[in-house]
């Protein structure tokens, strides 16, 4: 039991799970826009997510707080280095315009972590903007990059999908913010800190309804039914979210929603 928990903790702490979520969203983008499987693009996002998330999570811990590096963190560092090498390898298999846009997304991630401006906190600690920065990065990595690399023009359908993807990630983060309410710095002004848990849940429900309804215009019946199951699942996670929940509620179960969505598309 203890060994299983350690393996699960490493799987989550090393950002492999969140990377699978991003990979799943890339695969959903391929499906929705009828793009043939693009391995360099999909794996670039997968390994890039591991590098980006581990950089965000552990940079301040090591660089600023000077924490002692334990064995798990050392293994995560090795994994992150290998992932960085693979990111570089797949980077050179992408179209030039995709490379340029991906550098822009990396710059936003770096801004989120590092204090570029004198006497200023990093963007992660800017009041009220954290949720938008994360959502924009996810949309850019899992939807915009695959579309650009496939050389598909920006049609109205593309912008609708960008809004939908943004809404999905936004709502996923709302659940995280509800769970983290007791631990988040009050100065962050997260959505639950600003409007309360009850209203945050109502906001999440309200956003998921148009997310599904808009899909009526762009999905076939098969996809609409799958999307409805995904929406109901996420609504249940919102409904039962509270600050007393275990970290696994969000770090494993809620982040599994994109994976669950993709697997339904594949197997149903």
């Amino acid at each position: 039991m203890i060994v299983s928990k350690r393996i699960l903790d490493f799987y989550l702490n090393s950002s492999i799970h969140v990377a699978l979520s991003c990979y799943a969203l890339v695969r959903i983008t391929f499906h929705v826009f009828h793009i043939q499987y693009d391995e360099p693009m999909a794996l670039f996002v997968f390994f890039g997510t591991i590098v980006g998330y581990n950089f965000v999570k552990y940079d301040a811990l090591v660089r600023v707080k000077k924490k002692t590096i334990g064995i798990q963190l050392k293994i995560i560092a090795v994994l992150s280095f290998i992932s960085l090498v693979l990111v570089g390898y797949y980077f050179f298999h992408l179209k030039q315009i995709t490379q340029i846009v991906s550098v822009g997304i990396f710059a936003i991630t770096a801004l989120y972590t590092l204090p570029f401006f004198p006497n200023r906190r990093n963007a992660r600690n800017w009041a009220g903007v954290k949720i938008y920065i994360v959502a924009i990065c996810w949309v850019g990595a899992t939807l915009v990059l695959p579309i650009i690399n496939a050389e598909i023009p920006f049609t109205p359908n593309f912008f609708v999908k960008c809004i939908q993807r943004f809404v999905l990630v936004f709502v996923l983060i709302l659940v995280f913010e509800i769970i983290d309410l007791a631990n988040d710095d009050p100065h962050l002004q997260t959505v639950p800190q600003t409007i309360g848990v009850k209203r945050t849940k109502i906001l999440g429900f309200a956003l998921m309804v148009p997310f599904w309804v808009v899909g009526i215009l762009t999905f076939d019946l098969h996809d609409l039914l799958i999307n409805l199951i995904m929406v109901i699942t996420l609504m249940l996670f919102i409904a039962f979210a509270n600050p007393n929940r275990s970290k696994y509620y969000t770090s494993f179960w809620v982040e599994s929603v994109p994976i669950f969505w993709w697997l339904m598309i594949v197997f149903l």
Side-chain angles (χ1 to χ4, degrees), residues 62-264:
V62 176
R63 178 177 55 86
V64 179
K65 297 182 180 180
K66 308 295 184 182
K67 294 286 186 181
T68 303
I69 300 178
I71 182 65
Q72 185 182 100
L73 194 54
K74 289 179 180 179
I75 298 173
I76 290 174
V78 172
L79 173 66
S80 300
F81 177 76
I82 294 172
S83 297
L84 180 61
V85 172
L86 291 170
V87 166
Y89 172 77
Y90 288 115
F91 177 83
F92 291 105
H93 285 76
L94 304 178
K95 304 286 175 57
Q96 186 176 34
I97 182 62
T98 312
Q99 294 174 345
I100 295 172
V101 176
S102 67
V103 170
I105 295 173
F106 172 77
I108 296 175
T109 304
L111 176 66
Y112 181 76
T113 307
L114 300 174
F116 281 97
F117 306 106
N119 302 318
R120 294 277 185 176
R121 293 182 170 186
N122 55 36
R124 189 180 191 181
N125 295 305
W126 293 354
V129 303
K130 171 185 174 182
I131 190 169
Y132 301 102
I133 293 176
V134 175
I136 288 171
C137 287
W138 274 60
V139 173
T142 67
L143 198 152
V144 177
L145 289 183
I147 293 299
I148 292 176
N149 206 56
E151 298 181 331
I152 294 177
F154 289 176
T155 62
N157 182 43
F158 163 78
F159 292 105
V160 169
K161 291 298 185 293
C162 283
I163 294 172
Q164 283 185 308
R165 188 66 55 85
F166 182 91
V167 168
L168 173 64
V169 178
F170 187 91
V171 173
L172 288 171
I173 299 172
L174 286 181
V175 184
F176 274 83
E177 292 190 343
I178 291 173
I179 303 298
D180 294 338
L181 182 60
N183 300 316
D184 278 339
D185 186 333
H187 294 95
L188 287 177
Q189 294 183 21
T190 62
V191 177
Q193 288 174 342
T194 305
I195 66 176
V197 171
K198 183 177 180 179
R199 290 181 179 177
T200 299
K201 291 184 177 184
I202 293 173
L203 174 62
F205 294 144
L207 288 173
M208 291 313 295
V209 173
F211 171 89
W212 185 77
V213 172
V214 170
I216 295 175
L217 304 175
T218 55
F219 287 98
D220 59 29
L221 180 61
H222 174 265
D223 285 342
L224 279 175
L225 293 173
I226 289 175
N227 289 356
L228 180 60
I229 296 172
M230 187 277 293
V231 166
I232 292 173
T233 302
L234 184 49
M235 283 183 163
L236 289 173
F237 278 123
I238 297 169
F240 290 102
N242 65 70
N244 296 319
R245 289 285 182 185
S246 159
K247 67 175 183 177
Y248 300 110
Y249 187 84
T250 47
S251 61
F252 182 79
W253 292 110
V254 174
E255 282 189 349
S256 295
V257 170
I259 301 171
F260 174 58
W261 186 16
W262 173 50
L263 291 177
M264 283 195 296

